[in-house]
Amino acid sequence: MDGFHGRLTKDGIRIHKPEDFAGMHRAGELAARILDDVADRVQPGVTTAEIDDWITAEVERAGAISATIGYRGYQHASCISVNHVVCHGIPGQKILKDGDILNIDVTVIVDGWYGDSSRMYAAGRIGRKAERLVEVTHDALMIGIEAVRPGNTFGDIGHAIQTYVEANRMSVVRDFCGHGLGQVFHAPPNVLHYGRPGTGPVLEEGMFFTIEPMVNLGRPETKVLADDWTAVTRDKSLSAQFEHSVAVTSTGVEIFTLSPAGRFHPTWKDA
């Protein structure tokens, strides 16, 4: 573990200590458990505000803190992004309809450590195009995670995701990215979901960050609505996103936000 002492790289990326992994696992497991349990509440006829109210209560019941309530004025414990909303959808009185797809994004603070994860859900029965978008987005995340190992670069992660998504005739959103985290919500580096192999900072043991590709059925361009939060696809095409918080280990990668109930993959309901 020589040189593994909580230092910063020349790119400003924190190299965490071995003992820091335990705190990230606790935070990540809570975020993942909440996302597991909320699945049963995603049904046609439910409002996104009702889902967020339940998440808020669960965070409080666990004795944790929501990282998003009060963050830059945001007032909710989750972002809920439905259909053509790319990310940062604000929970409200929108009623879910049969066939809607939605991303639910939760970040909790446990003993000072941040657990950040999101995944896709279906309200009722969804169409084949939506189902395939969700599957491709999930697999793109996992392919990006497979590229995480010491000596690789952040460009390798982005290239792996972009290549897979575009081979499936979909597009990767450029306007939003993953980020470093730990005892802060957002820190260097920016984790792009597109890129060229061998570019960007080199991955080192002890780096903590999110990978969270957003994939559109249509073009990659987005726009932010007048509320200054909600990002939507410019062409109104469907969008999907999956997110894990991960660490670089001596041999590869560790995922902090694995689903305790095995409900992360979009086909878990069919098992």
Side-chain angles (χ1 to χ4, degrees), residues 181-203:
L181 82 170
Q183 290 183 302
V184 293
F185 195 173
H186 295 100
N190 289 334
V191 183
L192 306 182
H193 305 114
Y194 61 96
R196 299 195 314 276
T199 61
V202 175
L203 299 172

Side-chain angles (χ1 to χ4, degrees), residues 8 19 34 39 44 48 54 59 81 83 99 107 109 114 123 125 150-151 153 160 169 184 191 216 231 236 240 244 249:
L8 292 178
E19 56 266 31
I34 290 170
T48 55
W54 180 87
V59 174
S81 303
N83 292 334
T107 307
I109 310 170
Y114 285 70
R125 295 184 63 83
T153 68
R169 299 176 179 270
V184 293
V191 183
N216 297 345
K236 302 285 202 301
H244 269 317
T249 68

Side-chain angles (χ1 to χ4, degrees), residues 5-260:
H5 303 299
R7 61 184 173 85
L8 292 178
T9 71
K10 63 181 175 60
D11 299 293
I13 304 169
R14 183 165 297 284
I15 304 297
H16 293 85
K17 302 173 185 177
E19 56 266 31
D20 295 341
F21 280 64
M24 287 297 288
H25 273 293
R26 288 193 298 273
E29 184 176 2
L30 177 60
R33 182 181 62 73
I34 290 170
L35 291 176
D36 280 352
D37 293 346
V38 78
D40 298 327
R41 288 155 179 81
V42 177
Q43 299 171 3
V46 174
T47 68
T48 55
E50 289 171 325
I51 294 172
D52 182 72
D53 287 345
W54 180 87
I55 291 170
T56 303
E58 282 297 292
V59 174
E60 291 175 358
R61 193 166 69 84
I65 299 168
S66 167
T68 52
I69 295 176
Y71 179 77
R72 296 184 179 175
Y74 196 78
Q75 294 302 316
H76 303 276
S78 65
C79 294
I80 303 180
S81 303
V82 184
N83 292 334
H84 72 290
V85 178
V86 175
C87 60
H88 303 157
I90 301 174
Q93 296 313 305
K94 180 177 179 60
I95 299 171
L96 296 179
K97 304 188 304 294
D98 188 60
D100 283 345
I101 60 171
L102 56 151
N103 175 275
I104 302 179
D105 190 341
V106 170
T107 307
V108 295
I109 310 170
V110 178
D111 300 327
W113 296 96
Y114 285 70
D116 187 1
S117 185
S118 80
R119 62 181 86 155
M120 295 299 294
Y121 300 83
R125 295 184 63 83
I126 63 173
R128 178 58 191 144
K129 283 186 176 179
E131 183 179 43
R132 189 165 163 271
L133 169 66
V134 170
E135 290 170 353
V136 167
T137 307
H138 170 274
D139 293 349
L141 168 63
M142 302 315 292
I143 286 167
I145 290 174
E146 287 173 9
V148 177
R149 67 181 73 91
N152 273 8
T153 68
F154 283 95
D156 294 330
I157 298 171
H159 179 74
I161 292 168
Q162 179 184 5
T163 301
Y164 179 76
V165 169
E166 292 178 354
N168 281 279
R169 299 176 179 270
M170 299 177 193
S171 64
V172 176
V173 170
R174 265 72 164 171
D175 298 334
F176 302 94
C177 60
H179 52 89
L181 82 170
Q183 290 183 302
V184 293
F185 195 173
H186 295 100
N190 289 334
V191 183
L192 306 182
H193 305 114
Y194 61 96
R196 299 195 314 276
T199 61
V202 175
L203 299 172
E204 295 184 44
E205 181 180 1
M207 289 180 173
F208 298 168
F209 51 88
T210 70
I211 306 176
E212 47 185 293
M214 288 142 273
V215 176
N216 297 345
L217 265 181
R219 294 184 54 82
E221 291 83 9
T222 70
K223 64 178 178 180
V224 177
L225 301 185
D227 60 28
D228 288 332
W229 284 104
T230 309
V232 300
T233 55
R234 280 192 174 272
D235 62 6
K236 302 285 202 301
S237 65
L238 290 176
S239 187
Q241 180 187 18
F242 282 86
E243 175 184 14
H244 269 317
S245 296
V246 305
V248 184
T249 68
S250 59
T251 56
V253 64
E254 203 164 301
I255 301 174
F256 293 126
T257 46
L258 287 172
S259 163

